Amino acid sequence: MKKRLKIPWPEQWRRQTRLPASGNNLIYTPKDFIISFTLYIVTVIACMLLRFLDETEDTSYVAMLFLTDVFLTAVLTDGYLFSILCAILGVFSVDYIFTEPYWHISFTLAGFPLTFLVMMTISILAGALASRAKQMEATQRQMIREKMRGNLLRGMGHDIRTPLTGIIGATDVLLKQDETLTPQQRRELLQSINEEAKWLMRVSENLLSITRIDGENAGVKKTPELVEEIIEGAVSKFLRHYQGIAVQVHLPEEPMLVPMDPLLMQQVLFNLMENAARHGETVKQIDIFLYQEEDKAILEVADDGVGIAHSRLEHLFDGTLHPEEGREDARRDMGIGLSVCRTIVVAHGGSITASNQKNGGALFRIALPMEKEETHEN
């Protein structure tokens, strides 16, 4: 994948100001002004340089270059404001700088009013269409986020309600039939309450992880962190709950610093290991790999269990999975932990995928950008 240039714009330069009675279309930011002005100056210099080098003094390319300037401005800025201003300024620049008589307004010459009216119309339409396409893409992303958030909340409601029902049932038995219960039955009920309470704690941790993220594209607070320390914290937490499963960590020779929220990424690794322990059935060992691939930090969590059913791979991260029939833990965890993983990873500008290994077992792969990316405004 080709690396994109990221400019760390100061927060005050990205602050949006919407013009009165303009809805969401006319937006001003200092960042957009700098981008538009820079593109305009580059276009003017390029046209003047080409005119200087062209002995025939043919300026037919000028209009196309300014149309390109309008299109790029529309793509790189928010709303319609700067693309429309760029279109108007471009039309006057073509007439004033690059049409004889040079450095004079010549709209009164025969044919020029119609020519420049057509050019201005095309420029404004190109800018408006490009801006509209950006808005539609942002709207689509927002709809996907809302759908995913709804799935997460519905799943969380299920995961919370089920253990609460178990706790209430067990406590009712203890309160109403305590005198008739044997010590073994009483211990089993208390153990059930303890397990349900621990499960509620895990659900609440996932819920808190989601609340730390303002939105899937809204950036989390990332600071350069040693990934090795994040892995160590997640593994220690996992082993406290699942002592019968071995965890092997495979690290590179050189330490890796990656911008991330340490608590959120630790929750991702814990969720992936817990998913292997709960659903891998025959899992005896989990392997965690860390390495660099181009400009990405790669984290892989692999297990030696039964793997993932192909019918479930497609919806593994969207929170819509239903419990598998015939499983002892089918009443819990409809893939919500994995949905939280995807939400956190995407908020970091990364990606997460799942697959089955050739030798058996599941493999989860996380790719995170090594450099801090600019937070995008919707």
Side-chain angles (χ1 to χ4, degrees):
M1 182 181 294
K2 197 171 182 179
K3 188 176 179 180
R4 295 184 300 169
L5 178 63
K6 299 286 184 181
I7 301 177
W9 296 99
E11 180 65 29
Q12 60 269 25
W13 289 12
R14 295 186 284 113
R15 194 166 298 154
Q16 294 183 346
T17 302
R18 302 182 190 278
L19 300 187
S22 64
N24 295 326
N25 295 329
L26 299 183
I27 302 171
Y28 171 83
T29 65
K31 178 198 77 171
D32 289 346
F33 173 79
I34 293 172
I35 291 174
S36 304
F37 184 75
T38 302
L39 287 173
Y40 171 74
I41 293 299
V42 169
T43 303
V44 170
I45 293 175
C47 289
M48 295 184 72
L49 182 61
L50 289 173
R51 186 177 68 178
F52 175 77
L53 296 175
D54 188 2
E55 297 179 356
T56 63
E57 295 188 356
D58 179 21
T59 58
S60 58
Y61 53 82
V62 171
M64 293 304 299
L65 287 177
F66 274 97
L67 282 174
T68 303
D69 174 34
V70 173
F71 180 78
L72 290 176
T73 300
V75 170
L76 298 176
T77 61
D78 296 318
Y80 299 164
L81 177 62
F82 285 100
S83 60
I84 292 175
L85 291 177
C86 185
I88 296 172
L89 185 61
V91 167
F92 277 96
S93 298
V94 171
D95 177 69
Y96 186 72
I97 305 175
F98 300 103
T99 303
E100 294 183 350
Y102 301 126
W103 309 107
H104 289 87
I105 296 294
S106 56
F107 281 115
T108 57
L109 297 180
F112 275 142
L114 178 61
T115 300
F116 285 104
L117 179 62
V118 171
M119 181 181 171
M120 181 176 290
T121 303
I122 294 174
S123 297
I124 293 176
L125 285 176
L129 287 174
S131 297
R132 183 64 177 172
K134 279 184 62 181
Q135 288 186 351
M136 290 179 65
E137 183 181 357
T139 301
Q140 186 176 14
R141 288 199 304 267
Q142 181 65 24
M143 290 174 62
I144 293 174
R145 287 198 300 272
E146 292 301 325
K147 181 180 178 180
M148 184 175 179
R149 187 178 293 272
N151 291 335
L152 283 170
L153 291 176
R154 283 192 294 273
M156 286 292 183
H158 174 277
D159 272 9
I160 291 173
R161 184 172 59 251
T162 301
L164 281 177
T165 302
I167 291 173
I168 292 172
T171 53
D172 281 344
V173 172
L174 286 170
L175 290 172
K176 296 177 181 179
Q177 305 177 27
D178 183 60
E179 296 179 356
T180 62
L181 295 175
T182 65
Q184 179 63 26
Q185 290 174 326
R186 189 178 293 106
R187 180 176 178 80
E188 289 176 358
L189 287 171
L190 290 173
Q191 186 175 355
S192 174
I193 293 173
N194 182 262
E195 290 176 357
E196 299 289 10
K198 287 179 178 178
W199 181 253
L200 277 176
M201 179 63 71
R202 292 180 180 78
V203 173
S204 65
E205 288 174 352
N206 281 326
L207 189 58
L208 288 173
S209 296
I210 294 176
T211 60
R212 287 170 63 88
I213 304 173
D214 297 327
E216 192 167 300
N217 275 346
V220 295
K221 292 182 178 179
K222 297 189 289 185
T223 55
E225 302 285 345
L226 277 172
V227 187
E228 292 84 348
E229 293 182 355
I230 306 300
I231 295 174
E232 181 183 356
V235 171
S236 298
K237 180 180 177 182
F238 174 77
L239 291 178
R240 287 198 298 269
H241 297 285
Y242 300 93
Q243 298 178 1
I245 298 177
V247 179
Q248 294 290 330
V249 180
H250 309 268
L251 301 175
E253 294 182 0
E254 296 294 329
M256 289 182 62
L257 277 174
V258 179
M260 63 174 66
D261 183 309
L263 294 179
L264 289 179
M265 288 310 302
Q266 189 176 109
Q267 184 66 37
V268 168
L269 292 175
F270 176 81
N271 283 2
L272 294 179
M273 287 186 286
E274 183 176 59
N275 180 79
R278 292 184 59 79
H279 302 291
E281 297 186 13
T282 60
V283 172
K284 298 298 181 184
Q285 179 171 315
I286 296 174
D287 290 274
I288 299 178
F289 300 89
L290 172 65
Y291 59 93
Q292 183 172 347
E293 189 175 273
E294 297 182 352
D295 60 341
K296 302 288 185 182
I298 307 300
L299 275 163
E300 293 181 344
V301 179
D303 63 64
D304 58 355
V306 297
I308 306 167
H310 291 288
S311 60
R312 300 172 69 83
L313 278 172
E314 183 179 354
H315 300 287
L316 202 59
F317 297 104
D318 60 14
T320 62
L321 284 178
H322 296 286
E324 294 179 280
E325 296 182 0
R327 292 285 301 276
E328 293 181 359
D329 59 353
R331 60 197 182 93
R332 294 176 176 171
D333 194 6
M334 298 167 60
I336 301 306
L338 297 181
S339 301
V340 172
C341 290
R342 180 185 182 276
T343 301
I344 293 173
V345 172
V346 171
H348 280 77
S351 61
I352 181 171
T353 57
S355 61
N356 288 313
Q357 302 180 88
K358 293 181 179 179
N359 298 327
L363 173 66
F364 289 87
R365 186 177 190 269
I366 299 170
L368 295 173
M370 294 287 288
E371 295 181 4
K372 191 172 182 179
E373 296 186 356
E374 174 190 354
T375 298
H376 296 283
E377 301 285 344
N378 286 335

